[in-house]
Amino acid sequence: MTTIRRIQVRPLAGALGAQVSGADLRELDDATFVEIHAAWLAHEVLFFRDQDLSPEQHKAFGRRFGTLQVHPFLHSRADDGHPEIVVLESDEKMPVVAAGWHTDVTFSATPPMASILRGVDVPDYGGDTMWTSCSAAYDGLSTKMKGLLAELSAIHDTSKTFSRNAYPSKNHPDADKVPSAEHPVVRTHPETGRKSLFVNPAFTLRIRGLRPAESNALLGFLYEHIVTPEFTCRFHWEKNSLAIWDNRCTQHRVVADNLNAHRRMERVTVDGDRPV
Ligand SMILES: [Fe+2]
């Protein structure tokens, strides 16, 4: 247990993830936010319990980090005035969750900096979310492999996830209109300077300049390496639990068990910059 000044930060796993106590996100003063922000950069994903936030309070916490974005396809609370709040809902009629590893919205030229997810109605067991540290994964590579990857960029688009009947969109008519984006395979965190792997199986299509078999083999290796258990953490949701992850250096996925139970999550997403 590390005590800073206002909040308590307890790491959840070796590579990333920490649970924060001592903060009420409904009424957050600037000094407490500074501590939360520093802990977030250090641990990549932070977890809070018992945060009964209104939509306005959820958005206000997100705006502490930056500008909120509206997702191009996902269902939101636009009908009650909150298009920035994405709704991720599953039950026995729609037993579908984001069960593949991914980083949010990397088909954009400027993928989000952060996502802030709140458990609104969650099952007693199952439906956990896992995260993995792409910076720990980068650190775990050999110097030779780091050197090879430093020269490479990859194409990201929506074709593997949003253009077909994959979670969480339906076959969305606008998905094919979104232009692809090209990002470095290794990006440098704009705030910490730490390097991380920036390819994910949901949105990365291929590595530019490699033959298809070479690209597939290298991406396959990286995807397997990135989800090494020692780079991951896992969180069990309770009602009003909240997670905020650094979308620049992590991937996440839902564990698709107990899918018949109702599970409703709400997310706000903070704009990021162009990966370099
Ligand atoms: Fe996600």
Side-chain angles (χ1 to χ4, degrees), residues 116-274:
I116 305 172
L117 187 65
R118 197 168 78 84
V120 176
D121 187 12
V122 298
D124 289 338
Y125 63 91
D128 295 359
T129 303
M130 298 181 70
W131 283 263
T132 195
S133 170
C134 299
S135 46
Y138 175 81
D139 292 345
L141 295 171
S142 68
T143 303
K144 289 279 190 191
M145 179 59 85
K146 289 175 181 168
L148 169 65
L149 298 179
E151 301 173 12
L152 300 176
S153 61
I155 311 299
H156 297 236
D157 75 7
T158 57
S159 63
K160 289 198 286 184
T161 297
F162 288 122
S163 299
R164 58 187 174 89
N165 287 323
Y167 180 83
S169 71
K170 297 194 172 59
N171 193 3
H172 199 288
D174 293 334
D176 292 327
K177 296 179 190 157
V178 175
S180 61
E182 184 169 345
H183 299 305
V185 169
V186 177
R187 72 178 291 184
T188 302
H189 196 290
E191 295 184 84
T192 67
R194 201 172 173 195
K195 290 184 175 177
S196 64
L197 295 170
F198 200 63
V199 290
N200 72 88
F203 300 122
T204 306
L205 201 59
R206 61 185 170 83
I207 296 177
R208 180 180 287 287
L210 295 189
R211 293 177 178 147
E214 295 171 335
S215 174
N216 291 342
L218 185 51
L219 287 173
F221 160 72
L222 291 174
Y223 296 156
E224 192 176 334
H225 172 71
I226 285 167
V227 301
T228 299
E230 284 74 14
F231 304 149
T232 70
C233 70
R234 176 169 174 157
F235 183 67
H236 177 65
W237 294 95
E238 296 169 357
K239 183 178 177 65
N240 293 326
S241 297
L242 182 140
I244 172 166
W245 61 92
D246 192 329
N247 199 57
R248 299 166 289 194
C249 56
T250 61
Q251 291 185 28
H252 56 279
R253 61 161 292 174
V254 183
V255 178
D257 56 354
N258 198 11
L259 283 176
N260 288 334
H262 184 233
R263 181 180 188 271
R264 178 187 171 105
M265 315 294 288
E266 295 186 356
R267 183 181 98 191
V268 301
T269 312
V270 184
D271 272 345
D273 51 14
R274 181 180 287 276

